[in-house]
Amino acid sequence: DLSFTEGRVDFQNVCFSYTAGKEILSEVSFTVMPGQTVALVGPSGSGKSTIVRLLFRFYDVQGGCILIDGQDISKVRQNSLRSYIGVVPQDTVLFNDNIRENIRYGRISASDQEVEEAAVAADIHHKILSLPDGYATEVGERGLKLSGGEKQRVAIARTILKSPRIILLDEATSALDSQTERNIQASLAKVCANHTTLVVAHRLSTIICSNQILVLQDGQIAERGRHEEL
Ligand code: ATP
Ligand code: MG
């Protein structure tokens, strides 16, 4: 069915709208080379999260195509595609299960120790240990409430454990205190090392660390380059 190997991402003249007559992306083209980190920036509503959703095939493109390692993703089974890509969404929703299983979800064969190592790397381990039942604490509607930043770090731990070739990060827009921001930044840097990463960036610190920045505006890439160049 597929033979992804490197983790190269190509958007070729991608067009997309949610509703007829209102085009969100119009002929968007860019490449993320294997192992590189590309930051996507632009005004609220410009289509950044839409690009993430298209790459994960929540929707199919209406013009152009998206290639991974040269293969059109619309011809690849969704399960195969999704096993190859890890997503940390803008608003993480956790499952009605305990914290340990929420992290393990990315790789069900992982041991408890591997789960905890991923939580340490994502800087959420100490928070989990402070909870009444530690890793066995139930989350969800009736269970524990975590902040947006904490939930996102659980999702980062899950992604670290899954260790997919391609990582999509949609940074939370919520304001963070500077210590938490530094912690998340450090955990993201760990996730991104050696993986192809497309990150929707709301923080300057993320942007500075990327190999290339794409500025999305009015449905198109208005500018592209490194931080020093823009
Ligand atoms: P933000 O920085 O606020 O997260 P964004 O760049 O990620 O914004 P998107 O979520 O990609 O923006 O949305 C792009 C546009 O598409 C917006 O105008 C939004 O209202 C619209 N949109 C998003 N999801 C849907 C949907 N499911 N149905 C219809 N329109 C949608
Ligand atoms: Mg968004």
Side-chain angles (χ1 to χ4, degrees):
D1 179 39
L2 86 169
S3 51
F4 295 143
T5 49
E6 294 184 293
R8 176 186 166 121
V9 174
D10 285 292
F11 271 59
Q12 296 185 344
N13 306 312
V14 168
C15 300
F16 182 77
S17 31
Y18 290 101
T19 51
K22 186 171 180 281
E23 195 162 61
I24 304 294
L25 301 176
S26 126
E27 309 243 340
V28 167
S29 300
F30 64 87
T31 296
V32 190
M33 294 301 283
Q36 285 209 327
T37 296
V38 167
L40 200 53
V41 301
S44 178
S46 58
K48 304 181 297 294
S49 297
T50 301
I51 285 179
V52 169
R53 290 177 205 130
L54 291 175
L55 190 46
F56 205 56
R57 272 196 77 192
F58 279 123
Y59 303 95
D60 279 318
V61 301
Q62 289 145 5
C65 59
I66 301 172
L67 310 177
I68 293 181
D69 295 338
Q71 299 175 76
D72 188 334
I73 65 166
S74 71
K75 298 184 172 67
V76 173
R77 275 194 307 128
Q78 218 162 37
N79 282 352
S80 315
L81 179 75
R82 291 182 180 185
S83 67
Y84 195 67
I85 298 179
V87 184
V88 179
Q90 191 166 6
D91 298 299
T92 301
V93 179
L94 297 176
F95 311 107
N96 282 315
D97 203 335
N98 64 38
I99 295 239
R100 189 188 306 286
E101 297 315 318
N102 264 283
I103 295 174
R104 200 189 326 259
Y105 180 78
R107 197 156 65 78
I108 49 169
S109 63
S111 67
D112 287 359
Q113 194 188 334
E114 287 172 311
V115 168
E116 293 185 23
E117 283 166 4
V120 170
D123 196 34
I124 190 72
H125 178 67
H126 290 292
K127 171 73 193 181
I128 296 170
L129 288 186
S130 76
L131 301 171
D133 295 317
Y135 278 85
T137 304
E138 293 291 323
V139 294
E141 274 172 63
R142 287 162 170 277
L144 172 78
K145 300 276 187 289
L146 292 170
S147 76
E150 288 163 350
K151 278 192 276 193
Q152 194 159 53
R153 276 183 286 160
V154 170
I156 289 169
R158 182 189 296 156
T159 304
I160 289 173
L161 193 62
K162 182 178 174 184
S163 195
R165 196 71 199 91
I166 296 175
I167 293 175
L168 309 178
L169 289 173
D170 203 340
E171 278 190 336
T173 37
S174 53
L176 299 172
D177 64 83
S178 58
Q179 183 58 47
T180 304
E181 179 169 342
R182 273 198 298 277
N183 291 350
I184 293 194
Q185 208 55 55
S187 59
L188 291 187
K190 274 180 216 161
V191 191
C192 298
N194 306 317
H195 298 86
T196 303
T197 309
L198 182 63
V199 50
V200 176
H202 296 288
R203 307 182 202 295
L204 186 61
S205 46
T206 312
I207 295 167
I208 291 170
C209 294
S210 61
N211 300 104
Q212 195 187 179
I213 301 157
L214 306 174
V215 183
L216 198 62
Q217 206 150 32
D218 300 324
Q220 298 196 301
I221 310 276
E223 279 189 279
R224 63 184 85 203
R226 292 181 61 89
H227 177 60
E228 312 84 81
E229 298 161 0
L230 297 181

